[in-house]
Amino acid sequence: YQQTKQNIIEILLKNSQKCSVGFLHNDKLNTNNAADRDVFYQEYLVYYTPLIHCDSLKHHYDDKLFNLTKLKETTKKSLTDELDKIKDRNIELIVTCIPSSNPNDYNEFNIWYDNLRSFRDISKKDGAAGTVITQYTIGLMKTISQELHAQIDKMKKQAEFENDNYKLIMILAQLKDIAVAIASFKKIIDEKIDIILLGLKNSDVGLQRVIDVSLLLTAKSGDAEYGPLYQMILADHSAFKGLKLSIFNNRIAQFTIDHALDEQDGIKGDILNKIKLRHHYEIFIDEYRSFVNDNLSNPAQGLEQIKSKVKTLSREGLKRSCINEARDALIRNLMVNLFAFWTLSNCQYYTDMTSLDKKKEDGEGDDGDDDDDDDGGHRCRLLFLDSLRMKERT
C-alpha cells in the first residue's frame, strides 16, 4: 500500500513536470502544421488528465506531506496561464497589426487561433480532461472573436462615412485582405463588406455610387498591391453581380418597338408584315409583364410553373401544323415563358434595376420610354423581334 502511494506520487510529479511546458514560444506549436499541434496536445492531455483528477485520492494522503488538491489547482492554473498567453498574443496582433500590409502578422494570428481551436477539439474529444478546460478555451476564443469583430466594425464605420471612392475601395481591399488571410473569419468579414455596399445602395446617391465604385475597382484591378483584391471584391459580392445587367438595360432603355420597325433604322431584310409583327409583340410583352409581375413576390413558384408550361407547350408543338394561328400562339406562349424564366431567375437584381428606372423617371438619368421599365424586357424585345422576323420570312 505504501509503495503504491509512493509510486503514484512519483507519477503525478513526473506528469506535473511534463505539464509545466510553455505554449506560446514552443516550436512544436508555432507552426502551420496542424498534425504537429494535435500530437503535442494529445500527449499533453495524457499527462494532464491524471493530475486534474488526483484529488479523488486525497483521503489516502496527508495534506502536510503531499497536498493533492494544491497539485491539481497548480496544474490547472499552469494550463490556463499558457492558454491566456495565446489569447493575449492574438488580441495584441488584432490591436496592433490589423489591418496589416505584412502577411506574417495574419499568419501568426492564424497559428495561435488554430492552436486554441486544436486544444478545444482534442480536449473535448478526450473527455477525461473534463469539460471545464474545454469551456475555458471556448471562452478565450470568443474573447478573440469579439475583439476582431470590434476592429472590423471600426473599419466598417470608416468605410460607411468615407465619401472619397478611392479611399473607400482601399478600405474594402483591406477588409478583403483580412477575409482571405484569416479564413476562420472570412464569412463574417465578407458579410461586413456586403453591409457596406448595401449601405451605398440605400444612400441618397443610391445605385449610381455602387456603379462608380464598380468602375473604379475595375480600373484599378491591375494595381500591383491591391489589384487581385479589387477583382475578388467584384467577383464575390452580390452588390456588383447585377450591375452589368442593370447597365445594359439602362443603356438601351430608349429602344422601343417603334425603333425596331423604323424603315430606315429598324430591322433590315425582306418586307415584313409590320402590323402583324407589332400585334405579336404587344401580346407578347403584355403576357410577359403580367406573368413576371405576378410572380416577383414568389419567383421560385413562378419558375416551377414555367417548367411545367414549357413541357406542355413543347408536346403540343409536335402535334400542330407549322402554318396556322394556333402555331403562332404556341410559339409566342413558349417565348413568354422562356423569357419570364430568364427574368425571374435574375430577380435578385430587380431592386437594382427599378432603382435605375426610378432615377430616369425623376430626371436623374437618361430619358427613356416608360414602356421599357421591366427587368430583362429589353433583351426580350430584341430576341423576340428577331425570331418573329425569321418566322415571317418563312
Side-chain angles (χ1 to χ4, degrees), residues 132-151:
V132 175
I133 197 61
T134 303
Q135 292 302 318
Y136 187 84
T137 308
I138 292 172
L140 297 180
M141 294 175 69
K142 286 182 178 178
T143 301
I144 295 169
S145 177
Q146 290 168 357
E147 191 68 33
L148 182 60
H149 285 192
Q151 190 74 1

Side-chain angles (χ1 to χ4, degrees), residues 27 82 179 184 197 207 244 257 283 289 302 307 321 362 378:
D27 291 339
E82 292 303 316
S184 302
L197 296 173
L207 183 62
K244 289 184 180 179
I257 185 67
I283 295 176
R289 284 178 172 165
K307 292 177 184 177
S321 171
D362 294 339
H378 311 305

